[in-house]
Amino acid sequence: MEPFKSLRAVALPIAQPNLDTDQILPARFLHKPRAENFGEYLFRDLRFRRDGSDNPDFILNKPGYRAARIVLAEENFGCGSSREHAVWALYDYGIRAVIAPSMGDIFVSNAAKNGLLTIVLPAPAVAGMIQAALAEPGLQITVDLEAQSVTMPVPGAASAATLGSVTQFNFEIDAYRQRCLLSGLDELGYTLTLLDSIETFERGYR
Amino acid sequence: MSPETSHQAHTLFEKIWRRHAIQVREDGQTLLYVDSHFLQDGSAPAFELLRQRGLEPRVPHRSFATPDHYVPTDTRDLASIADPEKRAMAEALRRDSAAAGIRFFGLDDPRQGIVHVVAPEQGLSQPGMLIVCGDSHTSTHGALGALAFGIGTTEVAHVLATQTLWQRKPRTLRVLLEGKLHEGVSAKDIILAIIAKIGAAGATGHVIEYAGPALATLSMEARLTICNMTIEAGGRAGMMAPDATTFAYLKGRPFAPQGEEWNRAVERWRGLSSDPDATFDKEVSLNVSEIAPMVTWGNSPEDAVAVTARVPDPATASSAERRDAMLRALRYMGLEPGMALTDLKIDRAFIGSCTNGRLEDLESAVAVVRGRKVATGVEAWVVPGSGPVKREAEARGLDRVFKEAGFQWREAGCSLCLGTNGDLVAPGQRCASSTNRNFVGRQGPGSRTHLMSPAMVAAAAVSGRLADVRRLLEGR
Ligand code: SF4
């Protein structure tokens, strides 16, 4: 897993609630091996028309957004199927952070295991960022994991601290998950160091 | 009161959680011991992860595997899967299970089927267990009084390698079910009504415990349907305290405890209910006597309304975001505001899935179909949830009723629920479906899914359009 420290990148505003993992990565690509570049299948049926041509109405195909590495989404992003492939598709495309008012629990858990940072912020804050990123294609925002902050170069909701011409929001993250992301640490490796405790538990079990 | 003298009240969820907790990490996540791990044919990447690290499944007898997502439903021959990559998925599960010594019900095994139908049916899912599976509908097994939830590929590999999983303790939500269900209304309508009420993210971060007098009257199969779709409300897991219905269902099943062991198990299981003074983070109640047969009109399971309703008007939406979402759904679904739902002609009808592919589901559909014919222009399928469901249905003659009416009677698998095996709804086709997700493209690119109970699918199939099943049951 690649470490994540901070990132300044183009934001992709996806203004639709309940964007499920079937839409992030359609089921017909689930049998592909992990070695595949799932970025090609990201939002496949939203990005492309049935004849394979680009759907000009989808945000990723509009000028200024293709280089996006941060997704701004509405309520319940990543709901539905547990497919980790949805996270792989975002990651392989180059997305490193998703910011939304709420996200599917399994999606959040899968993201944490693949170096994709998920940030939950209040709905008005995210709505303000989505509006700004829609109004200015290519708008860059900064995510700083150590400082636990998201910074956007325009004034936003009144609740945010307005620092000159930037708007900053702070977010919460587990100390452990933050450390995993910062150092690229892997959870299975850590659990394997606890096998003694697991065996002790097993002996006393049932 | 000091902690020593006070009686600490626990919910059903907390009781199971505590029993499986090995240790707590600095960030508050708990390492949990997994009793049972179910595998299906999407698990190949997890085994691959293990191989890359030179690891092997640590406690193979606690895993159990059956292929369901990629299996054909017109034959039992894996070789008939034309796409070699898809065939490889189903074959990989057989190979990986055999290599690890994991119990495997393959296509040639009469017990094969959708993992969430097979495990309860075989008695593999039991009260008090902690159960995981790399599939979001693992919430199903909570109907037996287990804590059961879906996990991702990396977590499947973690469970295989360690038999444990790190989890942050979720919050709890109790849904109280009161009143009495009317004729023609089923468990599917209850869960659709709950999701419509609390929203598709209404239970995110929570485990739902269902309780209340209406629950006590529901059969085990009905309870499985409700827990199954808990994930559609965002719930981490759905659970129900085991009772006489649960014990009667489990008794004698192949993997259930037998003899003296059975008596001891039931004694233990009786303690698995929330203490009367236990508190929940949230409570919701629903009077099931107020529920009519439900159908969905949009692309989220929360878009569920009574079949007697009309397609909602985005102009009445509560916010601009909601209006845009509704407009998008209406466009995709080919609907106009104000249309009567019962005016919607269908092209396909599908009875099956881990939500509604059990025997009672098929029987409820047969009660509607008997003596009727599938409407001209409708392609109607029944895909039993497992081999045993199929054989029992045949023993009861249900297959004949379906076939005489013009339904296709197929082999067990996930099939049209998500189409990974190649069973697809064509672009633009409207499908009345007893499944769990009406997402954009769920049953195939461009497919238009309306979720409803299996009896309602049967009513739609014989009517050629969405129909109120209560009218078709009158005088029967
Ligand atoms: S029947 Fe549908 S929802 Fe259930 S496991 Fe299969 S694909 Fe998933």
Side-chain angles (χ1 to χ4, degrees), chain A residues 14-23 26-36 38 41 45-46 50 57 74-77 79-85 88 102-106 108-110 112-114 127 130-131 173-180 186-202 204-206, chain B residues 19-23 25-27 29 31 33 35 42 45 49-50 53 55 58-59 62 70 83 85-86 89 127-130 133-136 150-155 157-158 161-164 166-168 200-201 203-206 231-232 234-236 268 299-300 302 321-322 324-325 328 332 418 420 427-428 437 439-442 445-446:
Chain A
I14 306 181
Q16 64 181 90
N18 297 321
L19 197 88
D20 54 80
T21 53
D22 272 80
Q23 291 193 71
R28 62 183 185 282
F29 305 112
L30 287 177
H31 61 281
K32 304 270 181 198
R34 181 65 192 97
E36 193 96 357
F38 279 94
Y41 312 128
D45 295 336
L46 294 166
R50 233 160 271 145
D57 295 334
E74 289 189 353
E75 289 287 353
N76 211 16
F77 184 81
C79 63
S81 158
S82 57
R83 62 190 67 164
E84 198 156 318
H85 311 59
W88 300 342
S102 66
M103 289 177 242
D105 291 331
I106 309 177
V108 169
S109 171
N110 288 338
K113 283 152 174 95
N114 289 276
I130 289 180
Q131 285 313 319
I173 185 169
D174 296 342
Y176 176 87
R177 193 147 65 86
Q178 184 184 35
R179 205 148 48 78
C180 282
D186 119 276
E187 189 167 67
L188 178 52
Y190 172 61
T191 312
L192 289 171
T193 67
L194 304 175
L195 277 181
D196 282 351
S197 323
I198 297 171
E199 278 165 19
T200 306
F201 178 91
E202 275 173 332
Y205 191 66
R206 283 268 139 95
Chain B
R19 219 177 97 69
H20 293 83
I22 301 171
Q23 65 184 75
R25 197 164 69 189
E26 48 170 328
D27 64 339
Q29 293 213 28
L31 186 64
Y33 196 70
D35 293 306
L49 276 176
L50 280 197
R53 306 179 63 129
L55 295 166
R58 188 171 159 268
V59 192
R62 290 192 179 273
Y70 290 93
D83 182 332
E85 282 183 328
K86 292 186 171 180
M89 290 297 277
M129 279 185 166
L130 196 144
C133 170
D135 187 281
S136 59
I151 56 177
T153 298
T154 305
E155 290 176 314
H158 191 283
T162 66
Q163 204 57 33
T164 66
W166 291 101
Q167 287 286 298
R168 173 165 301 285
T204 301
H206 290 74
I231 180 72
E232 262 61 66
R236 195 77 188 86
R268 213 171 52 237
N299 296 120
S300 168
E302 72 184 14
E321 288 86 26
R322 179 69 189 146
D324 291 348
R328 204 179 302 114
Y332 180 82
L418 92 165
T420 39
R437 288 183 175 145
F439 297 162
V440 167
R442 173 74 179 185

Side-chain angles (χ1 to χ4, degrees), chain B residues 72-407:
Chain B
T73 58
D74 49 351
T75 105
R76 292 284 78 174
D77 185 5
L78 265 194
S80 75
I81 306 177
D83 182 332
E85 282 183 328
K86 292 186 171 180
R87 193 165 63 235
M89 290 297 277
E91 278 166 359
L93 185 67
R94 173 190 297 279
R95 215 181 31 249
D96 293 333
S97 299
I102 290 171
R103 194 175 296 117
F104 174 75
F105 297 168
L107 272 194
D108 49 358
D109 189 305
R111 299 167 291 187
Q112 175 273 341
I114 306 170
V115 69
H116 309 308
V117 175
V118 172
E121 186 171 75
Q122 292 299 322
L124 284 158
S125 317
Q126 297 171 16
M129 279 185 166
L130 196 144
I131 298 171
V132 298
C133 170
D135 187 281
S136 59
H137 289 99
T138 308
S139 57
T140 312
H141 311 271
L144 290 127
L147 173 58
F149 50 88
I151 56 177
T153 298
T154 305
E155 290 176 314
V156 168
H158 191 283
V159 172
L160 285 170
T162 66
Q163 204 57 33
T164 66
L165 190 67
W166 291 101
Q167 287 286 298
R168 173 165 301 285
K169 196 174 187 178
R171 293 185 292 276
T172 52
L173 162 61
R174 177 158 61 181
V175 176
L176 274 179
L177 301 173
E178 285 151 350
K180 201 171 166 296
L181 270 189
H182 287 298
E183 176 75 12
V185 187
S186 70
K188 181 65 160 284
D189 304 301
I190 297 178
I191 187 62
L192 284 173
I194 293 170
I195 299 163
K197 181 173 175 140
I198 69 174
T204 301
H206 290 74
V207 164
I208 298 184
E209 180 179 339
Y210 299 92
L215 183 65
T217 65
L218 293 180
S219 71
M220 200 62 235
E221 298 199 351
R223 297 177 188 190
L224 289 161
T225 300
I226 292 177
C227 284
N228 172 276
M229 281 189 73
T230 298
I231 180 72
E232 262 61 66
R236 195 77 188 86
M239 41 199 328
M240 298 170 175
D243 62 6
T245 303
T246 319
F247 306 145
Y249 173 90
L250 270 175
K251 195 168 168 72
R253 297 206 175 249
F255 292 89
Q258 316 282 339
E260 246 323 287
E261 226 187 289
W262 167 260
N263 296 333
R264 276 199 301 276
V266 171
E267 262 328 292
R268 213 171 52 237
W269 295 342
R270 283 190 206 286
L272 288 171
S273 60
S274 291
D275 295 330
D277 45 349
T279 54
F280 293 80
D281 296 300
K282 267 203 230 172
E283 298 239 22
V284 174
S285 67
L286 187 77
N287 188 332
V288 302
S289 59
E290 287 165 9
I291 302 174
M294 306 286 283
V295 299
T296 61
W297 56 267
N299 296 120
S300 168
E302 72 184 14
D303 301 331
V305 292
V307 62
T308 49
R310 290 177 176 273
V311 174
D313 187 347
T316 65
S318 52
S319 67
E321 288 86 26
R322 179 69 189 146
R323 189 186 59 232
D324 291 348
M326 286 173 77
L327 281 169
R328 204 179 302 114
L330 293 189
R331 206 177 316 123
Y332 180 82
M333 294 297 289
L335 302 175
E336 299 290 338
M339 291 169 99
L341 286 166
T342 47
D343 283 342
L344 292 180
K345 288 207 175 89
I346 61 158
D347 308 291
R348 306 288 295 267
F350 177 63
I351 296 173
S353 85
C354 58
T355 309
N356 284 124
R358 299 179 186 82
L359 195 63
E360 277 178 26
D361 300 319
L362 306 191
E363 282 184 321
S364 72
V366 154
V368 178
V369 168
R370 199 181 291 282
R372 295 191 168 112
K373 291 268 182 252
V374 171
T376 319
V378 175
E379 184 175 335
W381 289 18
V382 183
V383 177
S386 72
V389 169
K390 179 166 196 256
R391 278 188 310 282
E392 182 56 27
E394 287 169 352
R396 297 184 189 197
L398 307 185
D399 61 319
R400 275 200 317 277
V401 180
F402 281 123
K403 286 190 273 196
E404 278 162 18
F407 278 83

